[in-house]
Every structure is written in structure tokens, then in C-alpha cells.
Amino acid sequence: TRLVTLGTQGGPRIIPTRSQPANLLVVRGTYYLFDAGNGVGRQLALAHVSVGDIGRIFITHNHDDHNADWGTLMGLAWSLGRKEPVIVYGPRGTESMLLGFLQYFAPNVANRTLVKGGTTPPEKVFVAHDIEQDGLVYQDDNIKVTALENCHFHYVPGDPGHGWQKSYAFRVQTPDKVVVFSGDTGDCGKQLVEFARGADILVHEVISLPAIEKRIRSDPAVRYSEEQIPALMRHMRDEHTSPEDIGKLAAAAGVGQVVLSHLVPGGDELPDSAYSDGVRKFYPGPVTVAKDLMEFH
């Protein structure tokens, strides 16, 4: 089992030095994609993987830094002649996104379809499945993927996502490893600890609250009003995870190593220690602040 951190920048910020969240698991030569943020096609190329070789995609939640390019990957694979299904598994709304993508993709189909060449219709190649609850999501001869709703969303009545939008962590069992992807999440207490227990690799999102607030108030590209900033910071505090909380989780779960990704504010403006030191206060094992295209075994 080999893990490649294709994209390590938490979104929606777009920067030159890090791509948006995406992780590649390679098991017995088969490729599995976990999240597909903007730019993942290029990241796959840099990892020397063809987009046509991606047959299974898993989306932790429907924020655009995690789901923006899974449709694009399917479309590129089809345009390059893939005939086997490309299947995406994600929270409710994933199936409806595919319907929208098929409509968006229709002009390309009209231009690339070779009637005499027997082109496979895209609706036979593009497949989506909504994850409706915790439990087994997918299994084949290489991997077993289990989902657990995490603590990224706390919608209240009146919010557009209330009652139907969910965010998941994934636990992946391979023949020689257990890899857990936290997804974006706040503190879930013992629930996520048990889910990650004994994992060889825990890939966890990480944020720096002081640096986030500083960037929000100083970056001209960020256009939140003064009324919006307190709500945004509350979201960051309650629905994302600090280094210290990651360290406590990893220690309690007894994981083999921690890989920090989905960095916020990210970029290269903070030293790695700003993300890793808080983890190391509580967790004695290896901690890596991932960069794009790093590999872990």
C-alpha cells in the first residue's frame, strides 16, 4: 500500500505552491482517489498516473475544495477512451451532481463522439452513489472502505444543508495497512478515536486559528465583511481541528503515524512547526506536515 498526498492545501484558497485536497492510495497497482479538489488531474500527471486509470473516487464531503474536479476527471478519462465505469462515492448530493455534470458535459460528447468508432455513451461510464449512513461503502479484492459521519457540519433549521448534508471520515483496510482519512472535522470525541484505532496512517486536516484570522483581515483577496468574520472564525474553531486536538486523538487511537494535510491557512507562510508542534505535545509517534506529491508507506 502506498499513499500519495496529491493536494494538501485547504480551500477555497487557491495558491501556486499547493493544490487542493486529494489523496491517492495505490494498492497492488490499483489506484483509488480520496477527494478531488481543483487541479487533481495535473497532480495525477505529476505523480505519473493517467486519469484513465482512476476507477474509484471517494469524496469526504461536498465542499468545492474536495469535490470540484471529480466530474472533470471522469470527463477526461472518457475523452481519452475509457469504457469501464468510473464510480464516485460521496455524501447525499453526489448523484445529483453527476446529473448536472452530464448536462454540462453534453457539448463535449457531441464533439467527441465517433459514431463509426463505437464510442461508449458517458452515462455508461460515469456512475455516482450517495452515501446515506455510516458503515461499509465499498469493497473489492484490494480494499474495504468504511465511512463514519464526522463533526464538520452543525447545521440548524433554516440552513440550506440542514437535514441532508453530511461529512464523512473514511477508514480503508488494505492487505497490509489501515489508512484513515479524517475529512474536515471538528472534535468528535471518542467516536473518531475508535474509528481511527490502530490505523497505520492517520491523514488528518489541520488549522492554525491565529494565522487564519490574521489572513482574513489582511489578505485583499478575502472579501468577508466585518459581520461575517465572527461566524467564519466560529466555523473554523468548532468544525475544524487544531494541532493539539489531533495529537490527543492520535495518541488515544494508537495510530502508527500522523500525516497532516488540508493545511489552513496553508501556503508556505507558516513553518511546519506551526502545525506539528501542537500534535507532538500529546502524540509521541511520527508526524509529517505533508506537501503535495509526498509518498508514505
Side-chain angles (χ1 to χ4, degrees), residues 78-282:
W78 180 89
S79 294
L80 290 169
R82 183 175 172 113
K83 296 177 173 58
E84 302 80 21
V86 182
I87 307 174
V88 60
Y89 299 83
R92 191 185 302 182
T94 303
E95 293 176 7
S96 65
M97 285 181 64
L98 178 58
L99 295 177
F101 181 74
L102 284 167
Q103 183 177 3
Y104 159 85
F105 197 61
N108 188 82
V109 176
N111 289 322
R112 290 194 184 275
T113 295
L114 303 174
V115 176
K116 294 182 180 180
T119 301
T120 304
E123 53 269 22
K124 291 188 177 182
V125 179
F126 307 161
V127 182
H129 294 300
D130 285 353
I131 301 171
E132 296 287 356
Q133 59 187 8
D134 295 351
L136 182 66
V137 171
Y138 174 81
Q139 185 170 5
D140 64 17
D141 291 340
N142 293 323
I143 68 170
K144 177 181 178 180
V145 182
T146 306
L148 175 75
E149 186 176 2
N150 61 27
C151 301
H152 187 45
F153 293 147
H154 296 90
Y155 291 125
V156 299
D159 289 338
H162 177 69
W164 71 288
Q165 274 303 289
K166 295 184 177 183
S167 177
Y168 289 101
F170 291 128
R171 181 183 178 99
V172 187
Q173 175 75 62
T174 80
D176 62 323
K177 290 279 191 299
V178 173
V179 181
V180 171
F181 299 97
S182 72
D184 287 9
T185 181
D187 183 6
C188 285
K190 293 182 179 179
Q191 187 180 22
L192 200 50
V193 169
E194 291 304 318
F195 191 68
R197 186 166 301 283
D200 297 282
I201 304 173
L202 172 63
V203 183
H204 208 293
E205 69 132 335
V206 64
I207 66 167
S208 170
L209 282 170
I212 290 169
E213 185 160 14
K214 180 179 179 181
R215 169 159 286 281
I216 287 172
R217 295 187 179 280
S218 62
D219 186 348
V222 178
R223 302 181 181 183
Y224 294 111
S225 68
E226 283 297 320
E227 291 76 18
Q228 291 175 301
I229 290 175
L232 178 62
M233 290 307 301
R234 185 165 55 251
H235 160 69
M236 290 294 178
R237 183 179 63 251
D238 295 344
E239 300 181 335
H240 289 279
T241 314
S242 69
E244 290 77 10
D245 283 343
I246 297 168
K248 293 173 185 176
L249 185 158
V255 303
Q257 64 172 309
V258 173
V259 175
L260 299 175
S261 190
H262 189 278
L263 275 59
V264 180
D268 295 313
E269 59 209 59
L270 296 179
D272 286 356
S273 58
Y275 302 104
S276 60
D277 281 359
V279 180
R280 292 193 173 103
K281 287 180 184 178
F282 300 96

Side-chain angles (χ1 to χ4, degrees), residues 39-57:
V40 67
R42 177 170 172 76
Q43 296 306 103
L44 285 167
L46 291 170
H48 308 292
V49 177
S50 168
V51 295
D53 288 337
I54 303 297
R56 301 294 181 268
I57 303 170

Side-chain angles (χ1 to χ4, degrees), residues 1-5 25 177 201 257-260 288-291 294-297:
T1 299
R2 180 164 57 97
L3 166 70
V4 183
T5 52
L25 270 188
K177 290 279 191 299
I201 304 173
Q257 64 172 309
V258 173
V259 175
L260 299 175
T288 304
V289 179
K291 292 181 172 58
M294 274 189 172
E295 294 193 13
F296 300 85
H297 299 269

